[in-house]
Amino acid sequence: MNRLSSVLKMHFRDKATWFIIPYAVLASSFLVNLIVGYISQEEITTGGIMSIYVYLFVMGITVLPQTFNFALSFSVRRHDYFTGTALFAAANSLFISVILLVLGAIEKATAGWGTHLHFFSLPYLNEGSIIQQLIVYFMIIITLFFSGFTIGSIYRKFKGIGMIVMAIVGVAISTVLSFLMTHYNWWKYIFAWFSDKTALDIALWLIPITLIYALVSYLLLRRSTV
Amino acid sequence: MTNVVEVKQLTKTYGSVQAVKGVSFSLEPDKIYGLLGRNGAGKTTIMHMLTAQLFATSGEMKIFGESPYENNNVLTQVCFIKESLKYPDNYKVIDVLELSESLFPNWDREYAYSLLQDFQLPLKRRIKKLSRGMHSSLGIIVGLASRAPLTIFDEPYLGLDAVARSLFYDRLLEDYSENPRTVILSTHLIDEVSRMLEHVIVVDNGSIILNEDSEELRSAAYSIAGASSIVEPFLTGKKIIAKQPFGALVNAAVMGRLSAEERKKAESLGLELAPVSLQQLIIHLTNGKLDAKEADRS
């Protein structure tokens, strides 16, 4: 338990990575959209919120080279490292989700920051109750973080060769799959499946995916060396 | 008391390369050990395996009586400071100290801050902005203040000047006498540390070629100098590990002990006797090993 709190502390002390840069990225994207909104005076719906999602995906990749060797060198178990990092990432994802939700509410209340800008509050994604919206945000963020974290773990365990193999296998599988789907005309079923799902439905489907990412990265890190 | 470290037939192979070849040794509690050897001899690999940061290919290993892998009973008692230690990019000196305090149960905060002053390390500076020597000092401070029952320093002083190095040796000895613990000091600056080491393990080419108490070791050889016409007959039948002629003079290092009688005889012949320094002895021993191998090959 004590070691776990040390790992949380290790991440917490890296203020720039967790508490400054993600919001700076989001703010700069928002500012650009806001300026465009003022100039154009049109109703704008933008995907600028993607910027923070992409940042969290990248962070999932970079958190390992930043802290894994360091933690191991400072006598932290791999198990504690993983658990602490996963917990911290979850707490951080929740924190960001709440902030996005609040900003979305402000956006609605101010009629799009006085310029009809839809930045935080988007159609489809921001439907349903507050809790439902929170789940959608949270699952998007944590899934992206753990997909990055899994990539980072593959690199930790297998180094450069692992990345090449992963890329080749990834491309091969997606090529074969998309060929099969085109050949057997499965695309329409897939689109049909998605089309009657709400954002919340899809967010719930992300839970098993994230759990698989977490399990894979845990197993890889258990066998990783400095 | 049980041994702090117990290693049997520890082996590490990378593909076809054997970095560590069936190494066995044990370390007793509250002693300062020197793990010596040339660069690439396998010292760092051994220490990485002791701390479960690398996995052994085969062999047995017990630290404080248990396997170190994923074992907090062991890991909380170990502090391993290595030359290549990398910190998170945004970390400041203070972040490392605060984190160390929560990771090492015996951490002495006051002592850490006094060391910080000794080594003149700025508390608020980002580690990326530290000079190479300051970077090394930070590792040394963590290693000393952790007071871990097994503290390992692997070439901890890259970029440190002689003053800072001797400061490190002084602080280590002072603190060691007040808070005894097992220290492994891995280095190639043998002469500088030889006065501190109580036991020496020399690794060469992945194998241990020497595992000896330093007192024993110092008395295991002597050097003798004088006119070659007098020295040569004196040397017959003795195990010479090195011989350097200077014109008509010769300086030889000889394994073994001199009897009182021989000592008297040497003095009466006007020969100069001196102890062989640890560094010299180890260089002799490692070279001898290498020469033997060359001979095997041809």
Side-chain angles (χ1 to χ4, degrees):
Chain A
M1 203 55 217
N2 187 24
R3 309 301 276 178
L4 193 61
S5 66
S6 297
V7 176
L8 294 176
K9 195 172 189 172
M10 173 182 79
H11 290 305
F12 187 77
R13 295 204 75 91
D14 194 348
K15 302 252 175 5
T17 301
W18 293 91
F19 305 119
I20 297 173
I21 302 172
Y23 305 105
V25 166
L26 186 66
S28 54
S29 164
F30 175 66
L31 217 64
V32 169
N33 279 290
L34 197 63
I35 291 168
V36 171
Y38 267 112
I39 294 170
S40 69
Q41 286 299 322
E42 283 169 29
E43 182 161 349
I44 295 177
T45 301
T46 162
I49 202 170
M50 282 285 287
S51 57
I52 194 168
Y53 297 159
V54 170
Y55 176 79
L56 276 139
F57 170 70
V58 173
M59 233 188 100
I61 299 176
T62 56
V63 72
L64 279 160
Q66 281 290 315
T67 55
F68 183 73
N69 277 5
F70 170 67
L72 250 59
S73 299
F74 273 57
S75 299
V76 172
R77 281 195 308 176
R78 293 163 178 84
H79 176 91
D80 294 330
Y81 174 82
F82 175 84
T83 319
T85 305
L87 261 178
F88 197 85
N92 182 57
S93 302
L94 187 64
F95 186 67
I96 293 177
S97 304
V98 170
I99 287 186
L100 293 179
L101 207 61
V102 168
L103 289 170
I106 296 174
E107 185 170 280
K108 271 185 194 157
T110 58
W113 315 95
T115 171
H116 306 292
L117 175 67
H118 299 282
F119 187 92
F120 296 103
S121 176
L122 299 172
Y124 183 69
L125 285 171
N126 294 86
E127 282 156 16
S129 70
I130 286 183
I131 294 296
Q132 287 174 349
Q133 289 183 45
L134 195 68
I135 293 173
V136 171
Y137 277 134
F138 178 77
M139 284 318 300
I140 292 174
I141 294 169
I142 201 162
T143 306
L144 283 167
F145 178 85
F146 269 103
S147 59
F149 196 70
T150 306
I151 294 172
S153 309
I154 293 170
Y155 181 75
R156 256 314 79 197
K157 179 71 183 87
F158 300 109
K159 305 284 146 62
I161 304 277
M163 297 320 290
I164 294 167
V165 171
M166 184 185 74
I168 293 171
V169 169
V171 168
I173 289 178
S174 49
T175 308
V176 170
L177 268 184
S178 70
F179 171 77
L180 287 176
M181 291 210 267
T182 310
H183 187 76
Y184 293 105
N185 227 347
W186 289 342
W187 287 114
K188 64 178 181 200
Y189 299 112
I190 289 169
F191 286 127
W193 187 86
F194 274 103
S195 66
D196 60 81
K197 297 280 179 296
T198 64
L200 180 68
D201 290 335
I202 292 171
L204 294 177
W205 272 102
L206 290 177
I207 294 175
I209 293 176
T210 300
L211 289 177
I212 290 170
Y213 279 144
L215 182 69
V216 168
S217 50
Y218 174 69
L219 293 175
L220 288 170
L221 289 183
R222 283 273 295 190
R223 297 302 303 159
S224 291
T225 55
V226 294
Chain B
M1 212 167 163
T2 49
N3 285 331
V4 171
V5 175
E6 196 77 58
V7 171
K8 280 192 196 114
Q9 290 299 315
L10 193 66
T11 299
K12 177 77 187 175
T13 46
Y14 293 103
S16 61
V17 183
Q18 268 200 312
V20 176
K21 303 168 183 165
V23 159
S24 303
F25 62 91
S26 54
L27 307 182
E28 291 164 23
D30 305 342
K31 259 192 172 185
I32 300 184
Y33 286 85
L35 188 61
L36 312 175
R38 305 176 59 182
N39 289 332
K43 295 172 295 192
T44 305
T45 309
I46 292 174
M47 288 180 286
H48 271 135
M49 287 191 283
L50 291 182
T51 50
Q53 293 179 36
L54 280 181
F55 302 127
T57 310
S58 66
E60 256 183 71
M61 187 168 53
K62 291 258 183 291
I63 316 291
F64 298 106
E66 296 178 38
S67 158
Y69 176 62
E70 293 294 87
N71 188 340
N72 275 342
N73 290 342
V74 173
L75 294 178
T76 52
Q77 298 192 63
V78 179
C79 179
F80 177 19
I81 300 301
K82 54 189 162 192
E83 172 213 318
S84 57
L85 200 58
K86 240 200 91 200
Y87 300 93
D89 284 346
N90 297 320
Y91 261 41
K92 297 186 177 104
V93 171
I94 186 171
D95 294 320
V96 175
L97 297 186
E98 293 287 321
L99 189 67
S100 303
E101 185 167 352
S102 95
L103 281 169
F104 299 109
N106 296 342
W107 182 262
D108 185 329
R109 188 194 181 99
E110 232 168 83
Y111 183 50
Y113 277 79
S114 83
L115 288 170
L116 205 69
Q117 296 230 308
D118 290 342
F119 284 96
Q120 299 173 346
L121 218 56
L123 190 59
K124 300 272 180 190
R125 189 169 306 172
R126 278 177 65 172
I127 293 168
K128 271 183 120 180
K129 299 261 159 69
L130 293 180
S131 71
R132 188 57 246 188
M134 286 171 154
H135 197 277
S136 299
S137 304
L138 180 57
I140 286 171
I141 292 171
V142 171
L144 288 174
S146 75
R147 297 230 169 101
L150 175 60
T151 306
I152 306 175
F153 290 103
D154 182 14
E155 302 280 5
Y157 28 51
L158 196 69
L160 277 191
D161 54 35
V163 178
R165 286 205 300 275
S166 83
L167 185 63
F168 165 50
Y169 304 140
D170 290 345
R171 290 291 173 274
L172 176 61
L173 277 179
E174 275 167 27
D175 199 57
Y176 170 76
S177 60
E178 283 166 37
N179 303 282
R181 51 205 194 252
T182 308
V183 178
I184 305 177
L185 201 55
S186 163
T187 176
H188 51 246
L189 297 176
I190 300 168
D191 263 347
E192 282 193 7
V193 298
S194 63
R195 69 186 166 103
M196 300 196 289
L197 304 180
E198 293 170 76
H199 194 105
V200 172
I201 296 175
V202 180
V203 184
D204 191 54
N205 224 330
S207 305
I208 289 182
I209 57 168
L210 188 77
N211 185 352
E212 194 82 63
D213 210 72
S214 15
E215 280 308 309
E216 291 283 315
L217 203 56
R218 281 197 197 90
S219 59
Y222 58 91
S223 83
I224 187 161
S228 59
S229 56
I230 306 170
V231 173
E232 290 295 348
F234 189 84
L235 290 176
T236 45
K238 294 197 166 61
K239 193 182 171 196
I240 301 154
I241 51 178
K243 200 154 71 173
Q244 286 172 308
F246 302 102
L249 298 175
V250 69
N251 187 349
V254 183
M255 275 309 263
R257 252 168 259 235
L258 275 179
S259 64
E261 201 183 314
E262 282 176 308
R263 188 172 288 272
K264 226 174 251 170
K265 187 180 158 203
E267 270 160 22
S268 69
L269 288 170
L271 300 179
E272 260 180 69
L273 292 172
V276 176
S277 80
L278 211 53
Q279 170 137 322
Q280 269 178 316
L281 188 61
I282 286 163
I283 288 172
H284 291 328
L285 290 171
T286 46
N287 279 347
K289 177 107 195 281
L290 295 176
D291 288 348
K293 246 186 244 148
E294 296 291 310
D296 283 350
R297 237 172 261 151
S298 58

